[in-house]
Amino acid sequence: MSKKYSLHSGTRFLSSKTVLFLSLIFSVLFTQNVTVAQDADGIPTDEAAISTGEKLFKANCTVCHAVNDKVIGPALRDIHKRRNLDWIKAFVKNSQKVIKSGDEYAVNLYNEYNKTEMTAFDFEDAEIAAIVGYLKVESAKEIVVAVEETTASTGGDATAQEPSQFVNTVMIVLLVVLVLILAVLAMIITMLKKYLSQKDDLSEDDREIAEQTFDLGALVKSNAFLGLAAFIFTAIIMKSAIDGIFTIGVQQGYQPDQPIAFSHKIHAGDYKIDCNYCHTGVRKSKNANIPSPNICMNCHSSIKTESPEIQKIYAAIENNEPIEWVRIHNLPDLAYFNHSQHVEVGKVECQTCHGPIEEMEKVSQYAPLTMGWCINCHRETDVNTKGNDYYNKLVDMHNSHSKEPMKVEDIGGLECSKCHY
């Protein structure tokens, strides 16, 4: 089986690619008096072509390529300087043909990457030029070294923790008050006993009371002590019960073993594979969906084929059996959540809910996913209205009576029927 570091497999992205290409053709060729702006090398420079190139690159290329980093294939920064546009078009359409022609650069590239064969793409010339135009723009940008900042974890649910924190505060205050009362009573008793012991006209009964010593056994058996102990015991039981009630259904930190040891750190972190490449429904469906084995085979038909974990995928395919992944993030049936609404329309990053997934060797549930946690997000998150005409009137209405950015709660994000219906 031939090795591939393809940006996509076969025709999996044909429909999206065709749509992007048609949009480019209509916008560039069929608009009156509009021409494609190009540089001296024939690379597009107008924004429409660059935007189309970006979409094509991100939809098809990021599995194996990045602008500044080597992934499965080479980094593509300044590719327009290393090779001319005609060479790039020929290589993208049929890399093996270029290699077999004896092209020195192509042969060296092929050998450098362990003779990994690149899929022959059916891109049109305008599409490839648009991708190169996007890469040229990205190559002109300065490389920014990410600096890790130490920030407080936001994985907790502030609303869910408030009752527990309130109970803890009440308990501490009560304990301090009780200690102070006991200290004051002890001081008063000591002063009274000292005063009474100095009097000469005390009766025998009064003197006996004034000179009596502390009896721990009598204290323990006293009604006051028993009442105090009962109160503390009841308070502890009630606190535990309240904490337990607020954690019902919360699986934060849940990290089950999976049938195959898939590492998000390697795939999403080291190789920077876009989450949407494997979870194909995240931008167009309610569910993000679990990747099917054929998506794994896009790369692993030729990469790490001898790995025991990859062999499990082969076995599932050969036996026509599903891989029984263990679900980690699971909202109750009474709650409705739509991935496409948040990811595609709201532009919410995967890490917002799933945490630093690109750093996880073994995935765990990062956020509590409770109602309070979701409501907090709707209260704090600005609505992403850029480039979406649907929000124009809502933005105008909001700006007419408020100078603050429009939050999700301002457009009905706290309505019960948004999530429960």
Side-chain angles (χ1 to χ4, degrees):
M1 186 176 291
S2 62
K3 294 184 177 180
K4 299 178 181 180
Y5 66 85
S6 163
L7 308 182
H8 66 75
S9 64
T11 60
R12 203 166 83 79
F13 290 96
L14 182 58
S15 61
S16 62
K17 182 168 73 62
T18 302
V19 172
L20 289 169
F21 176 61
L22 288 175
S23 67
L24 175 64
I25 294 298
F26 276 107
S27 64
V28 174
L29 299 182
F30 295 99
T31 303
Q32 292 184 348
N33 301 323
V34 176
T35 58
V36 179
Q38 299 177 343
D39 62 12
D41 297 320
I43 300 174
T45 57
D46 63 284
E47 293 185 4
I50 299 301
S51 177
T52 299
E54 179 181 7
K55 293 176 181 177
L56 284 168
F57 180 80
K58 291 183 177 179
N60 301 281
C61 309
T62 53
V63 173
C64 300
H65 293 283
V67 177
N68 299 311
D69 302 307
K70 290 183 178 180
V71 190
I72 297 174
L76 299 180
R77 185 179 185 85
D78 292 328
I79 185 63
H80 62 288
K81 296 180 179 179
R82 300 198 298 271
R83 299 284 92 187
N84 62 46
L85 187 57
D86 290 336
W87 187 96
I88 296 172
K89 290 176 181 178
F91 192 83
V92 170
K93 291 181 178 181
N94 194 336
S95 62
Q96 284 302 297
K97 182 178 179 179
V98 178
I99 292 169
K100 290 176 181 178
S101 71
D103 184 275
E104 183 179 358
Y105 187 92
V107 172
N108 291 338
L109 187 67
Y110 183 59
N111 292 329
E112 180 183 353
Y113 286 88
N114 301 318
K115 296 185 177 181
T116 302
E117 181 183 336
M118 178 175 173
T119 298
F121 291 94
D122 59 349
F123 286 132
E124 300 292 338
D125 288 350
E127 292 179 298
I128 299 174
I131 293 174
V132 175
Y134 166 71
L135 292 173
K136 182 179 179 180
V137 170
E138 290 298 304
S139 299
K141 296 179 180 179
E142 190 175 337
I143 298 177
V144 179
V145 179
V147 179
E148 184 176 352
E149 297 182 359
T150 303
T151 57
S153 172
T154 57
D157 178 358
T159 302
Q161 292 176 354
E162 285 178 2
S164 180
Q165 293 174 349
F166 175 75
V167 173
N168 289 337
T169 303
V170 171
M171 292 289 292
I172 293 172
V173 170
L174 287 176
L175 183 61
V176 171
V177 171
L178 288 173
V179 170
L180 290 175
I181 291 174
L182 289 174
V184 171
L185 288 175
M187 292 175 59
I188 293 173
I189 291 172
T190 301
M191 293 176 61
L192 288 174
K193 288 175 64 176
K194 184 177 180 181
Y195 171 75
L196 291 173
S197 63
Q198 294 176 352
K199 294 183 69 68
D200 296 330
D201 56 346
L202 286 177
S203 64
E204 290 297 326
D205 294 337
D206 292 339
R207 188 170 297 280
E208 182 179 353
I209 294 174
E211 295 178 355
Q212 67 180 359
T213 57
F214 177 74
D215 188 349
L216 180 61
L219 176 64
V220 171
K221 295 178 182 179
S222 66
N223 292 334
F225 181 84
L226 293 175
L228 179 62
F231 171 79
I232 294 175
F233 177 78
T234 303
I236 293 174
I237 295 297
M238 290 182 63
K239 180 185 181 303
S240 300
I242 292 173
D243 288 345
I245 290 172
F246 278 97
T247 57
I248 292 176
V250 179
Q251 300 186 89
Q252 189 175 15
Y254 178 52
Q255 190 179 48
D257 293 328
Q258 299 290 355
I260 297 175
F262 178 88
S263 171
H264 277 77
K265 182 179 185 298
I266 292 175
H267 292 78
D270 297 343
Y271 291 121
K272 303 187 186 308
I273 297 176
D274 189 351
C275 301
N276 305 302
Y277 179 80
C278 300
H279 301 282
T280 54
V282 72
R283 293 193 181 278
K284 58 185 179 182
S285 171
K286 174 181 181 289
N287 300 309
N289 72 274
I290 297 174
S292 57
N294 71 296
I295 294 180
C296 305
M297 288 298 98
N298 289 343
C299 295
H300 289 296
S301 59
S302 58
I303 298 174
K304 296 184 73 67
T305 57
E306 302 303 321
S307 167
E309 298 301 317
I310 304 303
Q311 290 294 320
K312 295 178 182 179
I313 304 177
Y314 294 159
I317 295 174
E318 290 171 1
N319 297 326
N320 196 26
E321 295 177 349
I323 300 172
E324 297 182 357
W325 300 103
V326 180
R327 185 165 186 168
I328 298 174
H329 304 85
N330 191 20
L331 291 179
D333 292 340
L334 56 84
Y336 176 84
F337 177 85
N338 190 305
H339 272 87
S340 63
Q341 183 180 9
H342 289 77
V343 177
E344 182 66 18
V345 180
K347 306 301 180 186
V348 177
E349 295 293 335
C350 302
Q351 290 83 351
T352 302
C353 301
H354 296 288
I357 197 78
E358 71 281 1
E359 299 174 6
M360 297 184 186
E361 284 285 356
K362 184 178 178 182
V363 176
S364 64
Q365 182 173 318
Y366 175 78
L369 303 183
T370 59
M371 184 173 74
W373 184 79
C374 295
I375 287 176
N376 276 352
C377 184
H378 284 190
R379 286 171 175 163
E380 298 167 359
T381 303
D382 296 343
V383 179
N384 186 359
T385 62
K386 185 178 180 181
N388 194 334
D389 294 340
Y390 173 84
Y391 292 109
N392 287 348
K393 291 185 178 180
L394 291 173
V395 172
D396 292 340
M397 292 174 62
H398 177 79
N399 292 341
S400 66
H401 63 79
S402 176
K403 295 182 180 180
E404 297 294 326
M406 187 168 70
K407 307 289 185 181
V408 178
E409 69 170 337
D410 297 324
I411 59 172
L414 301 188
E415 294 290 336
C416 301
S417 59
K418 287 288 184 180
C419 305
H420 307 289
Y421 59 87

